[in-house]
């Protein structure tokens, strides 16, 4: 069979994206990293080192050093020698991969130990690792949805939640405006009063799902309010209301001890999904909840049953990251992260840029124009700064932005250099 017609269709769609200025285009390939001595020593910079550049990244075929301002590795643990050493040790003793899915022969001792550690870290009875956070969301929702389930979701929830809901085929889906708690309560009240689906099916179970930290904005869900509203109405549903949060951007980067949005809002949802691939600096996703739910998911979740887990070495590296996060060094990294984020946000405000202030290290520079977003992203790149421009459909129309992400390996010099480039952009724009 020929791909000629499919090729023509694909090319036409790519041309449409080009015309809108929304095509992401070729990916930048990182070939090497220049790592400062203080990172190699496994510590944060002293005052003198803070006046110098942090890590610099080199792209394939490009000798210019770049400042990475779009990494999810919020604590800087991807380069931490203890985390690197843990993964190297794991490879030497247990090989490069699991070689099978969990129920065949792919379960190694580091997987089991990491799951116990994650459960304890989040104060839950049980935990379960997935190959990625996206796979975790896709793997958790469908087994919990049946023909009498209502799914209620925040308008700006992550793409993984949107697709997991579609895959689940709930009896009914409701979307409330972003962070609108009155609208959430109105939806639950409507179904509690006896509203059924179009086919007349009774709603017996409700899943209320939200991001913890919203990845494009850096704002957070008021989990305490969500839990309180759900507890108010759960008596009206035979199988209750289950609260679920995907806090992949929150865990390790938010809250006094890095336990994410739950810690910040002093609350706990029924099922928490998160990642090992952002602040913890490794790879993989996980869920923490009751023992019964985890045991059920091990038997029913396709994304768990039919997919290899993370490697044993990655599990050891993730455990090493948790060791750091739960130590005095972890607290220092979290404190530094908040300080650098506050400094950068203050600098953006001083320059007159629109942003969404908050303690989380995702700091959007809101542009609200697709072409201007692309122009500023390219300007930053030409000045040696890697930042991500986000356009529709990744963000809603009118919310186009540059998403900056601060991490603990940035120096004060890095923050000031980025602000200086943005100041120069404004000057050059006014000059033209």
């Amino acid at each position: 069979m020929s791909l000629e017609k499919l090729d023509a269709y694909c090319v036409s769609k790519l041309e449409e994206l080009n015309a809108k200025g929304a095509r992401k285009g070729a990916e930048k390939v990182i070939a090497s990293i220049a790592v400062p001595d203080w990172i190699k020593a496994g510590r944060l910079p002293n005052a003198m080192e803070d006046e110098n550049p942090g890590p610099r990244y080199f792209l394939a075929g490009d000798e210019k050093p770049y400042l990475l301002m779009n990494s999810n590795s919020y604590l800087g643990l991807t380069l931490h020698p203890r985390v690197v050493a843990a993964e190297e040790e794991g490879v030497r003793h247990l090989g490069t991969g699991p070689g099978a899915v969990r129920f065949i022969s792919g379960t190694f001792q580091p997987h089991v130990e990491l799951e116990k550690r994650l459960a304890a870290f989040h104060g839950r009875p049980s935990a379960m690792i997935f190959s990625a956070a996206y796979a975790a969301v896709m793997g958790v929702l469908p087994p919990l949805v049946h023909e009498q389930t209502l799914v209620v979701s925040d308008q700006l929830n992550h793409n993984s939640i949107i697709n997991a809901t579609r895959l689940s085929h709930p009896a009914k889906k409701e979307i409330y405006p972003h962070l609108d708690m009155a609208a959430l309560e109105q939806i639950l009240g409507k179904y509690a009063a006896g509203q059924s689906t179009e086919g007349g099916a009774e709603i017996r179970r409700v899943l209320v799902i939200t991001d913890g930290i919203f990845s494009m904005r850096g704002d957070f869900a008021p989990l305490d309010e969500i839990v309180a509203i759900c507890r108010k109405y759960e008596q009206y549903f035979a199988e209750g209301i289950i609260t679920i949060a995907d806090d992949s951007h929150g865990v390790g980067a938010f809250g006094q001890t890095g336990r994410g949005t739950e810690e910040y809002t002093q609350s706990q949802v029924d099922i928490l999904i998160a990642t090992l691939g952002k602040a913890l600096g490794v790879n993989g996703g996980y869920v923490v909840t009751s023992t019964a739910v985890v045991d059920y998911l091990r038997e029913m979740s396709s994304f768990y049953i039919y997919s290899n887990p993370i490697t044993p070495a990655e599990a050891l590296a993730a455990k090493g990251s948790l060791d750091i996060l739960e130590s005095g060094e972890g607290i220092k990294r979290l404190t530094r992260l908040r300080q650098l984020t506050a400094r950068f946000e203050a600098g953006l405000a001083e320059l007159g840029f629109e942003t969404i202030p908050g303690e989380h290290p995702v700091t959007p520079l809101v542009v609200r124009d697709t072409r201007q977003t692309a122009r500023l992203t390219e300007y930053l790149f030409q000045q040696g700064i890697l930042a991500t421009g986000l356009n529709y459909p990744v963000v809603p129309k009118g919310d186009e932005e540059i998403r900056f992400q601060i991490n603990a390996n940035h120096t004060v010099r890095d923050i000031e250099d980025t602000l200086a480039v943005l100041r120069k952009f404004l000057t050059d724009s006014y000059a033209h």
Side-chain angles (χ1 to χ4, degrees):
M1 297 293 290
S2 171
L3 284 175
E4 183 178 338
K5 292 181 179 179
L6 179 59
D7 284 347
Y9 170 82
C10 293
V11 168
S12 69
K13 289 300 178 182
L14 292 171
E15 288 174 348
E16 286 179 18
L17 291 173
N18 280 333
K20 296 174 183 176
R23 185 175 177 181
K24 290 181 283 295
E27 297 167 354
K28 294 175 175 61
V29 179
I30 295 171
S32 63
I33 311 172
V35 182
D37 289 341
W38 50 271
I39 292 179
K40 294 178 182 178
R43 60 178 177 81
L44 295 171
N46 58 37
M48 183 175 297
E49 290 162 335
D50 238 342
E51 297 176 1
N52 297 317
R56 286 299 183 267
Y57 292 73
F58 293 86
L59 304 181
D62 189 345
E63 295 182 358
K64 183 167 70 174
Y66 288 89
L67 167 58
L68 195 67
M69 291 294 290
N70 55 358
S71 170
N72 296 322
S73 182
Y74 300 117
L75 294 177
L77 297 180
T78 53
L79 299 174
H80 198 290
R82 284 170 57 191
V83 178
V84 172
E87 185 156 349
E88 288 178 340
E89 188 75 5
V91 169
R92 278 194 292 269
H93 286 86
L94 296 171
T96 57
V101 298
R102 291 284 294 268
F103 82 94
I104 295 179
S105 61
T107 297
F108 285 69
Q109 192 65 35
H111 295 133
V112 177
E113 292 174 354
L114 178 58
E115 286 172 335
K116 290 179 180 178
R117 185 66 181 280
L118 289 167
F121 179 75
H122 290 289
R124 301 304 210 284
S126 194
M128 175 176 165
I129 300 169
F130 286 82
S131 59
Y134 201 108
V137 176
M138 297 292 286
V140 167
L141 255 65
L144 301 179
V145 173
H146 57 38
E147 65 277 3
Q148 292 177 294
T149 301
L150 164 68
V151 175
V152 185
S153 183
D154 188 287
Q155 181 184 21
L156 295 187
N157 274 345
H158 190 267
N159 176 271
S160 60
I161 295 176
I162 295 169
N163 281 336
T165 303
R166 288 172 178 161
L167 181 65
S168 302
H169 297 293
K172 187 68 177 177
K173 176 182 70 176
E174 295 278 0
I175 309 295
Y176 58 90
H178 183 50
L179 303 183
D180 190 334
M181 295 297 98
L184 169 61
E185 183 160 8
Q186 184 178 30
I187 290 168
L188 295 179
K190 178 176 66 175
Y191 285 91
Q195 175 165 317
S196 61
T197 66
E198 286 83 350
E202 174 194 3
I203 295 298
R204 295 177 60 82
R205 179 186 300 168
V206 181
L207 305 183
V208 174
I209 184 164
T210 180
D211 283 2
I213 293 292
F214 291 86
S215 59
M216 304 303 161
R217 300 166 54 88
D219 55 355
F220 65 93
L223 296 183
D224 51 341
E225 296 180 47
I226 291 173
V227 169
I229 292 169
C230 290
R231 295 295 169 259
K232 178 179 176 181
Y233 287 94
E234 67 177 347
Q235 62 183 307
Y236 298 103
F237 302 94
E239 298 176 19
I241 301 177
I242 311 302
T243 53
I244 307 173
D246 174 5
D247 204 23
S248 292
H249 283 269
V251 173
F254 200 50
Q256 287 299 116
T257 66
R259 284 170 170 80
T261 308
E262 286 191 327
E263 179 177 28
Y264 193 87
T265 60
Q266 297 184 4
S267 60
Q268 192 173 87
V269 294
D270 297 311
I271 299 173
L272 179 70
I273 299 167
T275 187
L276 307 168
K278 292 183 171 56
L280 296 180
V282 190
N283 186 40
Y286 64 92
V287 59
V288 292
T289 183
S290 69
T291 300
V293 170
V294 166
D295 289 348
Y296 170 78
L297 289 172
R298 290 192 199 277
E299 300 293 333
M300 303 299 293
S301 174
S302 295
F303 281 78
Y304 176 85
I305 297 168
Y306 300 108
S307 182
N308 279 9
I310 62 174
T311 69
E314 287 173 326
L316 286 169
K319 184 175 177 292
S321 292
L322 280 172
D323 289 340
I324 294 169
L325 178 56
E326 291 196 275
S327 69
E329 180 187 343
I331 298 299
K332 290 178 181 177
R333 285 180 178 269
L334 286 161
T335 300
R336 176 176 177 80
L337 192 56
R338 287 190 290 271
Q339 291 171 342
L340 291 174
T341 299
R343 187 174 190 131
F344 186 61
E345 287 181 353
L348 290 181
E350 185 179 331
L351 291 172
F353 286 109
E354 180 184 354
T355 187
I356 301 173
E359 287 188 18
H360 192 272
V362 165
T363 305
L365 190 163
V366 185
V367 182
R368 302 196 185 281
D369 179 84
T370 294
R371 296 192 181 280
Q372 185 73 343
T373 298
R375 178 169 168 253
L376 179 50
T377 304
E378 179 60 23
Y379 186 90
L380 289 162
F381 178 68
Q382 294 300 328
Q383 299 296 318
I385 296 175
L386 297 176
T388 302
L390 300 172
N391 293 307
Y392 176 82
V394 178
V395 295
K397 289 181 180 178
D399 285 352
E400 294 85 356
E401 65 177 61
I402 309 290
R403 183 177 71 172
F404 291 100
Q405 292 164 278
I406 311 302
N407 73 68
N409 282 346
H410 285 145
T411 62
V412 171
R413 168 74 177 274
D414 292 336
I415 300 300
E416 296 304 322
D417 283 353
T418 304
L419 292 171
V421 169
L422 291 170
R423 186 179 298 110
K424 187 174 185 294
F425 173 79
L426 292 175
T427 302
D428 290 350
S429 297
Y430 290 142
H432 292 87

